[in-house]
Amino acid sequence: MSSEAQVEIENGWLRGRRAGGATSFRGIPYAADTGGANRFRAPQPVANWAGVRDASAEGERCPQTEESIVRLPAFAWYGQGAPFGENCCVLNVFTPGLQPGARRPVICYLHGGGYASGGGGGPALDGSTLAVAGDVVVVTINHRLNLFGYTQLAHLEPELFADAAHAGHLDLVAALQWVHRNIAAFGGDPGNVTLAGQSGGGNKIMVLLTMPAARGLFRRAINMSGVSGLQVPGPQATEPYVDALLRTLGIARGQGRRLQELPAATLMQARQAAMRAVRGDGAQPFVDGRHVCASPFTPEGLALHAEVPLMIGVTDTEATLFLGADPRNFHVDGAQLEARVRAQFGLDAQGAQALVAAYRQDGPQRSAADILAYLSSDLLARAPLLRAAAAKADAGRAPVYHYHFDWQVPVEGGVWRSPHTVDIPFAFGTVDRARAMTGDGPGPGRVAANLMAAFAAFARNGDPNNPRMPPWKPYDTATRATMVVDEACRLVHDFHGHDRLASAALPCADPAAVRRGPLFRPMA
C-alpha cells in the first residue's frame, strides 16, 4: 500500500510516493532540458515551478541505442521503460524518511552502459530496499551520453561548444551539486556522499576523481567492474570518430550551430555511421587539463584522489556476459581452447599448454569452458582492477577494499556462472525482480543482504566492515585481502592468485580489443 509524500527543495515542492518503508521521488530535474540551444553546452539551471510538481514517474533517458542485454531472458531485469529524450538531466531519490536533521549517508549511483547507453531507473535500480536496509539515502542519476555528452566540438565553435566534450560529466557534477544543496530535505547528509557505479558507472567515477569541479562533492567511491575509466586517453583518441561524425553530417568549421538544430535521430544515425567508419567509439572523456586533469591511476591522477577511500570489485566470471553472444563459447573443448590461446597471444603449443595448466592450479576440476571464462574475465576486468587497487594501496593515503562477487547464476544450466552486471540487483536488494536470473529460494536474498551491508557501512564511515561478514582488511600488495561475497562471505588472501600471476605474464591489451580477438570467437 502506498501513499503520497511531499517535500520542498530549492526549485519548489515535489510530490512522491511512500511504500514499503521508503519514500521515493523520481524524475527530479537537476539541470534544464539539454535540447535545442542547450545541446552540447554545459548544464544550465532549472527554472523554479509553481505548485507541487509530480515526482512519481522516472524522467527521460538520453537518446541512445537500446542495449542488447535486455533481449537475454535471464537479464530482462536490466531493462528500463523510461522514454528517450534530451530532457534527461534528472535524478531519483529514495529515503527511509524525510527528517531534515537525520543526516543519513548518501549513495549516489551512476548507471552502466559505458558512456553510450543506460539510465538510472527501472525496477532493478529502485533504491528503496537499499535505503531502508542500510538507513541511507539513495540517488540514481541520468545524464547525457554518447554524442550528446562526449563529442569534441570546440574547434567548430570555441565559445559555444567549449564544454561539449565533457558535457556528460559536467551533468554529473551538476547532479552532485544538486545533492549538496538539496539532499538534507530528504534526510541525507550533504557532507557524507559516496559514489557507486557499475561498469560504465564505475568508469565515470574514476574520471570524476580527477575533475576539479567535482572535488569536495563526495567523500568516497565504489567501483563495480568499471575498467575503461582506469586509463583516460588524451584528446587524440577521439579525433577519428569526431572527424567521421562531422563528415557524415556535412558540418564544417563555423557551422556548429547546425548541430543544435538537427533532429536527435539524425545525430544518432550519423553516430552509428561514424563508429562503423572507425571501427570504434570516440564518445568518451579525455584528459584535457581543464575538466579532466589526469588519468586516474597515473602518479598525477593518484595525487588528485589521494584522500578518497575506494571499494573496487569484480564478478567471478565477468566475461561470460560477452562470451554468451555465441553459446558455443560455453562448450569449448581442450583443443579449441588451446587453439584460441595460441591465436590470441601468439604462443606455440607448449606456451598455450602452460597457460592452461596455470589456470588449473586454482581449480583442478575446471573444464576448458571454465578456463576460457576465467582467463577472459581476467583480461577484461579483474587484472586491470587489481592493478588499480595495488596502485591505490601503494599510494598509501587512503584505503582501498577489494571484493570478488562469487555467487553463481543457477538458471540455464549454470552456463553464465557469475557474469558482468550480475551484482546490480544484489547491491540494490532487488533480487525478487530478477528471478529469471536468480531463481527461487532464500539464497539470493542472503547474498543481497551481505552486499548491501558492506556498501552501507562503507558509505557511513569509509570502512565496509559489518556484522554479516568476517573482518575485512584493506587491500595491499603484501596480503591482497579480498572479500569473497556469497551466501557465506569469507576473506581470502590473494584470491585466485595463480590466475593473477598467469594473466599478469600476458601482454596487456585494451579490453575492447580482447573482445574482438580470437579468444572470444569460435574458430573454424
Side-chain angles (χ1 to χ4, degrees):
M1 185 173 180
S2 65
S3 59
E4 289 187 357
Q6 294 188 10
V7 67
E8 185 178 20
I9 63 170
E10 61 183 349
N11 297 115
W13 283 88
L14 296 170
R15 181 190 304 110
R17 305 295 300 176
R18 184 181 295 108
T23 303
S24 62
F25 297 85
R26 305 170 193 259
I28 307 170
Y30 63 84
D33 191 323
T34 66
N38 285 339
R39 186 185 282 170
F40 302 122
R41 295 180 62 203
Q44 301 299 303
V46 175
N48 295 342
W49 56 81
V52 181
R53 181 188 181 107
D54 182 65
S56 61
E58 293 168 357
E60 293 180 346
R61 291 178 287 164
C62 182
Q64 59 190 264
T65 301
E66 191 69 76
E67 294 166 299
S68 60
I69 183 177
V70 300
R71 296 197 291 269
L72 299 169
F75 299 91
W77 55 266
Y78 194 87
Q80 301 183 29
F84 298 143
E86 291 185 76
N87 192 13
C88 59
C89 287
V90 295
L91 52 78
N92 311 307
V93 179
F94 306 86
T95 179
L98 294 173
Q99 307 89 345
R103 301 186 68 82
R104 295 183 178 93
V106 180
I107 298 177
C108 290
Y109 181 81
L110 310 187
H111 66 77
Y115 303 110
S117 60
L125 300 187
D126 186 312
S128 300
T129 301
L130 175 58
V132 173
D135 194 30
V136 297
V137 177
V138 178
V139 180
T140 63
I141 302 169
N142 287 4
H143 64 104
R144 280 175 286 182
L145 302 163
N146 52 69
L147 69 86
F148 298 97
Y150 302 99
T151 304
Q152 170 59 291
L153 300 171
H155 60 294
L156 293 181
E157 299 279 355
E159 293 185 8
L160 185 64
F161 295 145
D163 301 311
H166 293 98
H169 262 68
L170 294 176
D171 290 348
L172 293 173
V173 171
L176 293 174
Q177 291 170 337
W178 183 96
V179 168
H180 185 77
R181 297 191 305 268
N182 292 282
I183 207 65
F186 299 87
D189 181 355
N192 192 11
V193 174
T194 294
L195 300 184
Q198 189 273 341
S199 189
N203 298 336
K204 296 163 195 171
I205 290 170
M206 298 298 97
V207 176
L208 283 167
L209 288 171
T210 73
M211 293 183 68
R215 195 163 299 149
L217 296 176
F218 61 94
R219 295 181 64 177
R220 50 193 71 95
I222 303 171
N223 179 350
M224 306 163 63
S225 308
V227 175
S228 66
L230 302 176
Q231 294 182 332
V232 181
Q236 66 279 359
T238 72
E239 289 172 1
Y241 161 82
V242 173
D243 290 344
L245 177 71
L246 296 175
R247 280 197 305 271
T248 301
L249 291 168
I251 302 291
R253 185 183 297 272
Q255 298 178 321
R257 290 183 186 276
R258 285 181 54 201
L259 292 170
Q260 296 179 319
E261 300 166 356
L262 292 170
T266 300
L267 295 178
M268 287 300 295
Q269 290 170 1
R271 167 175 159 75
Q272 296 301 114
M275 289 194 296
R276 289 193 295 270
V278 302
R279 296 185 179 182
D281 188 356
Q284 59 181 307
F286 57 82
V287 176
D288 64 349
R290 176 172 168 245
H291 292 309
V292 179
C293 291
S295 188
F297 288 91
T298 61
E300 297 81 8
L302 285 163
L304 292 172
H305 56 89
E307 309 297 333
V308 180
L310 296 183
M311 278 183 68
I312 292 178
V314 294
T315 67
D316 190 49
T317 56
E318 295 271 353
T320 50
L321 180 67
F322 311 107
L323 290 166
D326 189 327
R328 289 177 293 176
N329 289 325
F330 294 147
H331 305 287
V332 298
D333 60 26
Q336 292 167 334
L337 173 63
E338 184 178 324
R340 293 196 198 188
V341 166
R342 293 181 65 177
Q344 181 74 48
F345 304 111
L347 299 174
D348 59 17
Q350 184 177 3
Q353 291 164 8
L355 180 60
V356 171
Y359 266 82
R360 283 216 165 89
Q361 292 187 69
D362 282 320
Q365 304 307 314
R366 287 176 177 173
S367 68
D370 292 333
I371 293 173
L372 175 62
Y374 281 113
L375 172 59
S376 302
S377 298
D378 280 347
L379 295 174
L380 290 189
R382 195 173 82 104
L385 283 164
L386 284 177
R387 289 194 293 270
K392 179 71 173 178
D394 288 345
R397 299 276 294 279
V400 56
Y401 294 89
H402 182 251
Y403 73 87
H404 188 103
F405 189 84
D406 207 38
W407 182 86
Q408 306 288 306
V409 172
V411 302
E412 299 182 35
V415 295
W416 296 106
R417 297 169 178 83
S418 184
H420 190 69
T421 75
V422 68
D423 47 348
I424 295 173
F426 292 86
F428 278 85
T430 53
V431 290
D432 59 324
R433 303 174 194 186
R435 289 299 183 188
M437 179 186 74
T438 66
D440 297 321
R446 287 194 285 265
V447 181
N450 293 339
L451 193 59
M452 287 191 293
F455 280 21
F458 186 73
R460 183 158 279 106
N461 54 33
D463 184 333
N465 278 282
N466 67 88
R468 297 190 62 88
M469 294 178 170
W472 188 345
K473 303 288 188 182
Y475 189 90
D476 60 45
T477 52
T479 64
R480 303 185 187 275
T482 298
M483 184 60 70
V484 180
V485 178
D486 206 331
E487 290 188 53
C489 299
R490 63 193 194 278
L491 189 77
V492 180
H493 291 158
D494 202 10
F495 185 66
H496 288 179
H498 292 101
D499 291 359
R500 178 183 62 79
L501 292 172
S503 64
L506 297 170
C508 290
D510 174 63
V514 172
R515 282 178 56 187
R516 294 192 297 268
L519 206 61
F520 277 72
R521 294 202 307 269
M523 305 178 73

